Amino acid sequence: MPVIESWSTADVPRSERFALWREVRARNLFGVTAELDRHERASFQGSFTTMAVGSARILEVHATPYFVRRTQEDIRLSPGDSLCLYAQTLGGGWFQTPRGDFVVQPGRLAMSYSDAPYATRPTEPNGYHFQIVKIPIAAWGSLGEWRGTEARLAVSGTGLDAMLAACFASFLSEAANLQGAAAETAVETLVTLALGVRRGLIAGERGRAAVQEGRRTQVLRFIERHFADPRLSVSTIAAALHLSERQLHLLFEPTGISLSRRIARRRLETARRRIEQGMDPTIAATAFACGFDSLATFYRAFKAVYDTAPGDLRGKESVD
């Protein structure tokens, strides 16, 4: 498994926290001009978590508010030469670039070249809470065209922007399990989609493969968010993602597991976990919480997959 490293100001004397934070931040991400009034430095708190996944590096940052500028002098002293994909996990992040200002809201994705100037600060008093995937251009020469690109917000909820956002979120959630070729394939998908977003199109065999993976990831994340809705089906997914049902079926055909089976499997896995952990008062409550609109359908599906009745996992039948 990838090695996870963490650092926090918790054990650092208050008088040294902010100065040491700037050093650690520069070492793990890249150098910036960090500004905070002296009378506020004693109450500063921050933590870093970093993880190498293939040629990429994931950083999760939490810190009380301060103002950040990445100046030309910072870039000269501490070049990063990387593509950065950035998402807020809590609160908003304001960015100022030579082309204008924008705010990254939780769940939205921004991207930039590490060595382009910018300024940023959190929009909420609880400070910075964000995740960055940093991909060095030295490892992916094709990313060279990102050099000099200012930070931008992935504003579209469809197309390549949406695929990149979905793959970014999936990369973060699966990172701890990604190793070797699987890790590098996941990074390559991010690289290819990021280039597609910049160019406005994707071509070639690798590009088509990345688009397919991006679409599959979108669908799987949609299922993850909505599997508890009994109305979720292939047709409702197709309508929501602006695809035809045939496109969806073809998309998952190479995986050997149909989309309908994936929906059912997600519901049943969740149902089994809820039963084993005693999360619901009755089996019926579990079934309806997991998107089944019929108790009889749930019993048949559960028995077919696990070769046991749902109530047997609790040591009794509990049906209302």
Side-chain angles (χ1 to χ4, degrees):
M1 294 179 64
V3 176
I4 301 174
E5 300 178 356
S6 298
W7 183 86
S8 169
T9 58
D11 298 323
V12 178
R14 289 180 178 274
S15 61
E16 301 174 16
R17 284 182 178 180
F18 192 62
L20 189 54
W21 172 261
R22 288 185 291 193
E23 293 180 18
V24 174
R25 187 193 190 285
R27 189 163 59 247
N28 284 277
L29 189 52
F30 43 71
V32 296
T33 299
E35 301 172 2
L36 183 64
D37 289 343
R38 287 193 176 277
H39 72 276
E40 296 179 343
R41 293 186 181 185
S43 60
F44 177 80
Q45 298 179 53
S47 65
F48 260 101
T49 301
T50 69
M51 182 192 319
V53 182
S55 55
R57 191 173 184 85
I58 297 173
L59 299 97
E60 183 163 357
V61 178
H62 301 267
T64 49
Y66 64 100
F67 185 74
V68 169
R69 287 183 295 135
R70 175 87 160 142
T71 67
Q72 292 293 353
E73 181 66 5
D74 294 323
I75 292 166
R76 184 184 70 81
L77 294 173
S78 178
D81 199 31
S82 301
L83 169 66
C84 292
L85 304 176
Y86 166 100
Q88 291 287 137
T89 54
L90 180 67
W94 167 83
F95 281 82
Q96 181 184 63
T97 74
R99 289 193 176 185
D101 301 3
F102 62 86
V103 173
V104 184
Q105 299 292 356
R108 300 305 299 273
L109 180 66
M111 58 199 108
S112 70
Y113 175 56
S114 62
D115 298 345
Y118 70 92
T120 185
R121 58 172 169 74
T123 61
E124 305 293 335
N126 58 10
Y128 291 102
H129 300 270
F130 62 84
Q131 293 171 301
I132 285 181
V133 173
K134 183 181 175 185
I135 307 174
I137 288 175
W140 298 90
S142 58
L143 284 175
E145 63 187 75
W146 269 92
R147 288 192 174 108
T149 301
E150 297 169 358
R152 58 155 287 184
L153 183 66
V155 296
S156 172
T158 59
L160 294 175
D161 278 5
M163 289 181 203
L164 177 59
C167 286
F168 174 84
S170 178
F171 184 77
L172 293 178
S173 64
E174 297 295 324
N177 301 315
L178 291 173
Q179 300 181 61
E184 213 57 14
T185 297
V187 175
E188 182 178 19
T189 297
L190 291 178
V191 167
T192 305
L193 290 175
L195 286 170
V197 168
R198 175 173 168 76
R199 297 167 181 166
L201 58 88
I202 280 185
E205 184 176 343
R206 288 185 177 180
R208 288 190 291 273
V211 167
Q212 292 293 87
E213 182 61 27
R215 284 178 175 157
R216 274 193 292 269
T217 301
Q218 278 185 284
V219 172
L220 293 175
R221 293 191 67 79
F222 189 88
I223 292 172
E224 191 64 27
R225 292 193 299 272
H226 300 285
F227 72 87
D229 185 344
R231 296 168 296 180
L232 181 70
S233 65
V234 174
S235 61
T236 58
I237 294 172
L241 299 182
H242 308 288
L243 298 168
S244 70
E245 291 185 40
R246 175 170 171 74
Q247 284 177 303
L248 283 178
H249 287 305
L250 291 174
L251 189 62
F252 283 90
E253 189 175 80
T255 70
I257 304 175
S258 71
L259 192 53
S260 295
R261 283 178 59 195
R262 287 178 183 273
I263 296 171
R265 185 169 68 179
R266 186 66 185 89
R267 287 170 168 164
L268 288 169
E269 288 172 348
T270 303
R272 177 165 186 156
R273 176 177 56 81
R274 292 175 73 99
I275 292 169
E276 289 177 336
Q277 295 179 2
M279 296 175 63
D280 304 304
T282 64
I283 296 299
T286 297
F288 298 136
C290 295
F292 290 91
D293 58 4
S294 162
L295 192 55
T297 300
F298 172 61
Y299 266 79
R300 285 196 300 271
F302 197 95
K303 177 75 172 178
V305 172
Y306 298 119
D307 195 30
T308 188
D312 292 344
L313 296 181
R314 299 168 52 153
K316 63 177 181 177
E317 292 289 341
S318 178
V319 183
D320 53 355

